Amino acid sequence: MSLFWIVIRQLAEIEAMATSKKVITKEEWEKKLKDVKIRKEDMNKLVMNFLVTEGYVDAAEKFRLESGTEPDIDLATITDRMAVKKAVQSGNVEDAIEKVNDLNPEILDTNPQLFFHLQQQRLIELIRNGKVEEALEFAQEELAPRGEENQSFLEELEKTVALLAFEDVSNCPVGELLDISQRLKTASEVNAAILTSQSHEKDPKLPSLLKMLIWAQNQLDEKAAYPRINDLSTAKLEDPAV
Amino acid sequence: MPTPASPSASASSSHRRASSDLMVRIGSADSEIKLRALRELKNQIIGNRTKKLFFLKLGAVPAVSCALAEAQAQAQADLLVQSAAALGSFACGFDAGVRAVLDSGAFSNLIALLSFPDDKVVDAGARSLRMIYQSKLAPKYDFLQEKNMEFLLSLLNSENETVTGLGASIIIHSCETVVEQKALCHAGVLKKLTSLLEGSPSQKDASLESLATIIKKNPEAASKFVSESRRALSSVIDLSKDRNPRTRLLACMCLIVIRNTSPYYLQEIGIKTKLVYLLLELLDDPGQVGEEASFAFSSLLAQKEDLQKLAFEANAIDKLHNHLQKHLLQPRRYQGILLALAELCSKLESCRSRFFYLEVLNLVADALTHEVADVRTAACICLRSVSRSIKSLSAGCFMKEMIVIPLVRLLHDPSTSVQVAALGAVSNIVVDFTTAKSTFLQCGGLKLLVQLSKSMDPILRLNALWGLRNLMFLADKTCKKGIFFELTAPSLSSLICDPEPSVQEQALALVRNLVDGCLDSIEYVFAEDGIILDAIGRQLQSTSKAEIGIQGMYVLSNIASGNEFHKEAVMHQLLLHVNNGTQAFILKFLQSNDSQLRTATIWTIINLTFPSSPGASSRVVKLRNAGIVSQIKTMVNDPCVDVKLRVRTALGQFMTIGDGST
């Protein structure tokens, strides 16, 4: 009998602990949020930063005219950067390399890894297009010397050349190199390098802010029940789950 | 799959044809063709060392330089941009390219581009010049000329980021002496650089690196920087928290330079701890920043036990060990980590214990056979540092084939710096208190050490003798015999008379260890008509260096502890110069300012006049006649306690023997 009561008491305590979390109602929460002041200019700058970093040049130009927010970079350079990115994404790697070099010859001269990845992408495109002889010649003339300079490049090169050994490349162990995601990976690497060379951060600030919001909510979850934002795209405040 | 051999052979010849065709087009009179050719060349060589070398051999650099000069005469912006970019790429990270660009005479043309009205041209010119200034081969910039300083200031004041970057590169490249540092401070460069700390990311980096260059080892510049603006130092501290890892690293390096230069700034525990943690974190960066962080870490720890302790508490040994375990380490990173470990283990036994506990030694042993000389050197320096641990020496941790065999092999490494570092490690390891010295002898280490002691390079001679000296330390009879017969009396005596004082000192220290211990070993200095002893006497008479006197007197003191014959031989050397007009070295040494030298000299006298030895009283008479006894009497109240004590012992012995002869 006494054991039964002990169990009951413990259950009650656990329940009490769970409900002892502070509950904040939607009205209270909204009132608190109202007291937080955010400057319009700051928001505009965040938006501009997002447009510029992601390369939405037309939108950025319009936004500049309409909101009067000055971008922290010459908008013309965005067009150039986007042209490079697009060239890689559509497989015109040689064209992309020339464009990067026109933009700033230092980028590829001082970033061996990026240069190697672009050359590797060029090799992948040759293989994709079935230009076997050309691919081999390119691997030997352009890529092999890079492999001699750097052991990890050599390993990547071997993996890429292995594509030639398979009849059905879509089903081989290194097949993912031919995937469109490989192009996107290379493209975003170039994009980041160009941004860095322009003294610009390579990631937009908006996603970091949202990440911080989610982190802060997770922290708060342990202490209180409050109107949470579950869907970032609508930013709807959910009713606190009691 | 087709065989690669045949197509590529024809390909490379077609490739060569295409390249020489390109060279022709660069020389074309049609500016449209020329422009396209220059751009093509640029795109071929960027990022591609092999191509740079290939076109360099084809004579591309003078051709492009010529195109640049022509375009300048006609003010053709497009051609200027492309040719400047091509030259810049030849100069980027490629010393042969820098030399070719400088030889082609393009330097002054590139400078002229900086005052061109088109911003793109200015940018291209400044970028190429910056590439050149990143090489050691760049011409030294003379800051002491007024117009040069004005030009530098105009670069730093430019609106164009690449141009301010060029100004910084010039400072980093050419400011070396205190006079140059002062000239830059005087011209207001510190102030300008401080304001650039608030500029764009690339300006921040350039400014941090230049500031470190101007402040390094110049306390005056350090205090000027800190006091000139209240925000200056705090800006640098703020930048050590920047988002960009490279900026964080450069800020740390600047702070380290300031604290190593001046004892007044940044000495608080908070900033010290912060620097340790920041640099350990930066080590994780996969790129160049991670590589350089280890070197910055070493400079933070160098000679500073308090910082080494902080680093130990921050688990630095474990972290460096983790890095060392990684697959395919880049040579520069490998070198940096080994040097950081060396610095960390240079003083504290706690660090060394952790090093052995984690079995880092095995990884360091692997590095001894690395293909890159700098890595081998760093591994040796690390070994030298951990082998200062008497505990592990006594446990025979180093006398293992895994260490000794590769280390001995490094004694005949083609690179002198590897040899010197290997000798440094050998010197410590052969001290070994166990009987394991034979491991070293068996794998031919002794022969190599002796061979290196006869090298033309004085640094090699010095370090080889150091090794031999330590090998001789507390060695048993067979070991001593082996060393002596390998080295021989004539070459030992010529090393005692080496032109380099530091070599003389080591040679004497070697003989001191040789004659230490049993009577038999004293006999070695009498081999071949006593040429060794004669050489010692000559050297002691002529030297003006206390260190040499100390080692020499301990040799004599050890010999004087032998039998009557030995004692008389020492007396002969001491009194040889008494009657020929010059001051005998023994009197000079007794009057020396160096207390260690006075101690060593008195010890010799004590050993010579030990009362129970038969000839003691006649030797006291001789010493008195030479004025030595009266000199010793004046030293009863010597300021050095050790000397005072020995003087009293000596005087006591004189008394016991009795002033009988008077």
Side-chain angles (χ1 to χ4, degrees):
Chain A
M1 198 55 167
S2 59
L3 188 67
F4 171 78
W5 280 113
I6 292 170
V7 171
I8 289 294
R9 193 178 303 144
Q10 278 181 351
L11 281 173
E13 275 171 15
I14 290 168
E15 205 162 321
M17 265 161 63
T19 51
S20 76
K21 262 211 251 176
K22 194 175 174 188
V23 178
I24 306 167
T25 64
K26 213 166 168 180
E27 295 74 51
E28 282 177 285
W29 192 248
E30 276 170 352
K31 221 176 105 195
K32 279 181 202 286
L33 290 187
K34 217 169 258 168
D35 291 340
V36 182
K37 297 270 175 283
I38 290 183
R39 297 194 317 154
K40 185 82 187 284
E41 295 82 8
D42 290 345
M43 291 218 309
N44 285 347
K45 275 188 188 157
L46 281 172
V47 172
M48 183 55 100
N49 170 275
F50 180 76
L51 295 176
V52 163
T53 317
E54 293 291 305
Y56 301 109
V57 62
D58 294 339
E61 180 59 33
K62 275 230 167 66
F63 189 64
R64 184 178 74 88
L65 291 174
E66 290 183 12
S67 70
T69 311
E70 280 305 316
D72 52 359
I73 203 168
D74 180 2
L75 287 180
T77 63
I78 305 181
T79 320
D80 297 333
R81 177 161 53 90
M82 286 304 111
V84 174
K85 204 171 160 186
K86 206 176 264 172
V88 179
Q89 280 167 353
S90 52
N92 300 324
V93 187
E94 198 175 350
D95 185 34
I97 291 177
E98 289 179 6
K99 285 192 160 82
V100 177
N101 289 343
D102 279 339
L103 215 52
N104 180 348
E106 219 175 315
I107 297 174
L108 296 183
D109 240 342
T110 53
N111 198 336
Q113 180 152 337
L114 174 64
F115 182 66
F116 176 81
H117 285 152
L118 281 168
Q119 296 284 62
Q120 182 192 26
Q121 193 66 44
R122 246 176 106 176
L123 178 61
I124 293 170
E125 300 305 336
L126 286 171
I127 295 171
R128 192 198 311 278
N129 296 332
K131 296 180 177 164
V132 176
E133 288 194 15
E134 216 178 308
L136 278 170
E137 187 197 324
F138 183 75
Q140 206 165 12
E141 290 277 335
E142 302 283 337
L143 283 163
R146 303 290 83 72
E148 280 169 33
E149 288 159 13
N150 185 316
Q151 183 70 30
S152 63
F153 292 171
L154 187 62
E155 286 177 9
E156 287 190 62
L157 174 59
E158 281 166 357
K159 248 170 66 184
T160 316
V161 175
L163 283 173
L164 287 167
F166 293 92
E167 288 281 332
D168 177 15
V169 280
S170 58
N171 241 336
C172 78
V174 286
E176 83 270 5
L177 288 173
L178 286 171
D179 210 74
I180 200 74
S181 66
Q182 180 70 22
R183 278 185 182 173
L184 296 181
K185 207 171 111 189
T186 313
S188 91
E189 203 183 333
V190 187
N191 186 49
I194 298 174
L195 278 168
T196 308
S197 79
Q198 292 167 344
S199 293
H200 199 281
E201 277 156 17
K202 54 182 194 287
D203 301 307
K205 295 178 200 289
L206 214 44
S208 323
L209 271 178
L210 293 178
K211 279 183 194 168
M212 211 185 312
L213 169 77
I214 292 175
W215 180 83
Q217 288 194 146
N218 290 342
Q219 295 286 307
L220 192 56
D221 280 343
E222 290 169 17
K223 295 179 186 121
Y226 59 95
R228 214 175 183 283
I229 294 180
N230 290 334
D231 183 348
L232 285 178
S233 63
T234 60
K236 181 172 174 258
L237 292 174
E238 309 285 342
D239 281 321
V242 183
Chain B
M1 193 175 128
T3 54
S6 58
S8 80
S10 66
S12 79
S13 71
S14 75
H15 170 64
R16 209 162 292 141
R17 249 195 323 277
S19 309
S20 51
D21 169 56
L22 178 61
M23 293 295 295
V24 173
R25 283 186 284 132
I26 288 173
S28 165
D30 182 334
S31 60
E32 201 47 45
I33 294 175
K34 201 191 208 44
L35 180 67
R36 249 178 289 147
L38 283 167
R39 186 162 176 263
E40 194 180 326
L41 173 69
K42 178 193 78 177
N43 285 327
Q44 291 223 29
I45 62 171
I46 283 179
N48 195 329
R49 224 185 144 77
T50 340
K51 286 276 177 67
K52 284 181 194 181
L53 191 62
F54 176 77
F55 279 104
L56 191 77
K57 286 182 180 157
L58 278 184
V61 174
V64 178
S65 170
C66 186
L68 175 74
E70 280 172 27
Q72 209 150 22
Q74 294 161 28
Q76 292 160 298
D78 283 350
L79 280 170
L80 286 174
V81 169
Q82 295 301 333
S83 48
L87 291 174
S89 179
F90 272 116
C92 178
F94 184 54
D95 276 346
V98 177
R99 192 172 297 124
V101 172
L102 292 173
D103 288 349
S104 76
F107 191 76
S108 56
N109 290 330
L110 289 171
I111 295 266
L113 294 188
L114 299 178
S115 41
F116 206 79
D118 184 331
D119 224 26
K120 280 206 161 133
V121 176
V122 176
D123 230 35
R127 202 173 273 138
S128 298
L129 286 165
R130 214 178 51 198
M131 293 296 178
I132 294 172
Y133 271 108
Q134 273 162 13
S135 158
K136 285 199 174 67
L137 297 174
K140 189 172 161 71
Y141 194 86
D142 185 1
F143 300 106
L144 304 178
Q145 280 187 33
E146 206 181 316
K147 65 174 196 335
N148 281 357
M149 189 63 91
E150 274 169 27
F151 181 67
L152 178 71
L153 284 170
S154 75
L155 296 180
L156 292 173
N157 285 322
S158 164
E159 292 284 311
N160 183 320
E161 250 178 67
T162 322
V163 177
T164 46
L166 170 62
S169 294
I170 293 176
I171 295 175
I172 296 160
H173 173 272
S174 289
C175 173
E176 291 164 322
T177 64
V178 180
V179 182
E180 287 159 346
Q181 289 173 327
K182 277 190 182 157
L184 288 165
C185 290
H186 188 72
V189 170
L190 283 179
K191 203 171 235 163
K192 181 65 212 163
L193 290 171
T194 307
S195 73
L196 287 176
L197 288 175
E198 322 271 325
S200 74
S202 76
Q203 286 174 328
K204 285 176 190 165
D205 289 2
S207 164
L208 286 168
E209 209 177 343
S210 310
L211 282 170
T213 311
I214 299 175
I215 294 170
K216 192 171 191 178
K217 293 185 183 162
N218 186 338
E220 210 179 301
S223 67
K224 191 172 161 94
F225 170 70
V226 176
S227 57
E228 211 167 55
S229 136
R230 226 186 306 147
R231 304 235 10 243
L233 191 57
S234 58
S235 308
V236 180
I237 294 174
D238 285 346
L239 287 176
S240 70
K241 294 171 234 154
D242 195 88
R243 285 174 66 126
N244 181 356
R246 183 161 174 76
T247 308
R248 288 206 295 279
L249 174 68
L250 291 171
C252 286
M253 286 163 72
C254 190
L255 293 172
I256 293 171
V257 162
I258 295 171
R259 54 165 281 126
N260 286 353
T261 300
S262 157
Y264 306 114
Y265 307 116
L266 306 170
Q267 306 298 323
E268 310 83 34
I269 181 88
I271 190 85
K272 287 198 280 196
T273 318
K274 196 191 272 174
L275 282 170
V276 166
Y277 279 93
L278 270 168
L279 287 169
L280 284 175
E281 191 192 299
L282 285 168
L283 276 177
D284 295 333
D285 182 282
Q288 208 198 353
V289 170
E291 283 171 27
E292 296 309 317
S294 56
F295 290 90
F297 193 53
S298 294
S299 68
L300 176 69
L301 301 183
Q303 305 297 325
K304 299 210 163 59
E305 209 171 302
D306 53 340
L307 276 151
Q308 292 168 12
K309 189 154 175 286
L310 282 175
F312 174 71
E313 284 159 4
N315 285 329
I317 305 254
D318 295 58
K319 289 207 172 117
L320 292 168
H321 175 230
N322 286 342
H323 281 288
L324 214 49
Q325 282 174 312
K326 281 184 191 141
H327 179 52
L328 301 176
L329 276 174
Q330 288 296 308
R332 176 103 178 130
R333 181 179 284 268
Y334 209 164
Q335 181 199 11
I337 292 170
L338 288 167
L339 290 176
L341 275 169
E343 208 60 74
L344 202 47
C345 294
S346 64
K347 286 181 191 290
L348 297 175
E349 192 60 28
S350 51
C351 290
R352 295 177 199 136
S353 308
R354 188 76 193 151
F355 177 94
F356 286 107
Y357 175 78
L358 294 170
E359 300 183 342
V360 189
L361 187 63
N362 300 340
L363 298 170
V364 177
D366 289 343
L368 289 173
T369 51
H370 196 272
E371 54 178 7
V372 176
D374 284 340
V375 175
R376 296 196 297 273
T377 305
C380 292
I381 294 175
C382 186
L383 264 184
R384 185 183 64 185
S385 187
V386 290
S387 59
R388 284 183 191 147
S389 161
I390 293 176
K391 203 170 97 190
S392 355
L393 271 176
S394 310
C397 288
F398 302 99
M399 276 300 175
K400 296 179 194 156
E401 292 190 345
M402 169 190 88
I403 303 279
V404 176
I405 292 177
L407 200 53
V408 166
R409 208 166 283 150
L410 292 184
L411 293 179
H412 46 116
D413 196 276
S415 147
T416 315
S417 62
V418 175
Q419 285 181 303
V420 171
L423 283 168
V426 163
S427 298
N428 278 355
I429 287 170
V430 294
V431 169
D432 201 316
F433 298 96
T434 64
T435 50
K437 291 194 191 213
S438 56
T439 318
F440 183 76
L441 302 185
Q442 273 158 12
C443 63
L446 173 62
K447 267 202 164 60
L448 278 168
L449 280 184
V450 169
Q451 208 177 313
L452 287 173
S453 72
K454 293 165 188 166
S455 158
M456 293 292 282
D457 185 337
I459 298 170
L460 282 178
R461 285 204 300 282
L462 170 69
N463 285 282
L465 277 176
W466 206 315
L468 286 167
R469 164 195 178 178
N470 287 353
L471 189 60
M472 194 72 96
F473 179 68
L474 298 183
D476 60 22
K477 272 188 195 174
T478 357
C479 188
K480 277 188 180 174
K481 192 170 166 188
I483 301 171
F484 187 75
F485 281 106
E486 194 64 47
L487 198 55
T488 75
S491 61
L492 197 46
S493 63
S494 72
L495 282 168
I496 292 169
C497 303
D498 194 274
E500 284 297 318
S502 54
V503 175
Q504 297 165 13
E505 185 192 344
Q506 288 307 322
L508 287 167
L510 166 67
V511 179
R512 175 180 168 187
N513 285 348
L514 173 69
V515 297
D516 176 47
C518 68
L519 268 182
D520 292 354
S521 56
I522 296 178
E523 290 294 337
Y524 288 121
V525 290
F526 295 97
E528 312 220 2
D529 295 331
I531 50 172
I532 295 176
L533 190 56
D534 286 342
I536 296 171
R538 263 201 314 279
Q539 208 48 257
L540 287 176
Q541 185 60 37
S542 62
T543 191
S544 55
K545 294 219 175 340
E547 298 80 22
I548 291 172
I550 294 167
Q551 296 301 339
M553 283 320 289
Y554 275 119
V555 175
L556 293 186
S557 168
N558 281 352
I559 299 172
S561 71
N563 59 30
E564 282 302 301
F565 173 73
H566 300 149
K567 290 184 203 288
E568 284 305 321
V570 173
M571 282 301 286
H572 175 70
Q573 292 298 333
L574 292 185
L575 302 176
L576 200 58
H577 301 277
V578 167
N579 299 322
N580 64 3
T582 53
Q583 191 193 24
F585 63 82
I586 180 146
L587 281 169
K588 195 171 69 182
F589 291 168
L590 286 171
Q591 292 159 7
S592 159
N593 286 327
D594 190 304
S595 62
Q596 284 192 59
L597 180 52
R598 295 200 301 277
T599 312
T601 313
I602 299 276
W603 261 120
T604 312
I605 302 291
I606 292 174
N607 285 347
L608 286 171
T609 58
F610 198 64
S612 64
S613 55
S617 63
S618 83
R619 284 193 288 274
V620 171
V621 173
K622 284 182 193 156
L623 290 170
R624 176 174 308 108
N625 292 342
I628 295 164
V629 171
S630 57
Q631 168 61 36
I632 294 176
K633 281 183 178 161
T634 66
M635 297 163 70
V636 278
N637 286 318
D638 195 280
C640 169
V641 182
D642 205 17
V643 177
K644 192 166 148 181
L645 187 67
R646 306 300 158 213
V647 163
R648 284 170 194 231
T649 311
L651 291 175
Q653 291 188 169
F654 298 160
M655 293 273 284
T656 314
I657 292 161
D659 278 49
S661 56
T662 48

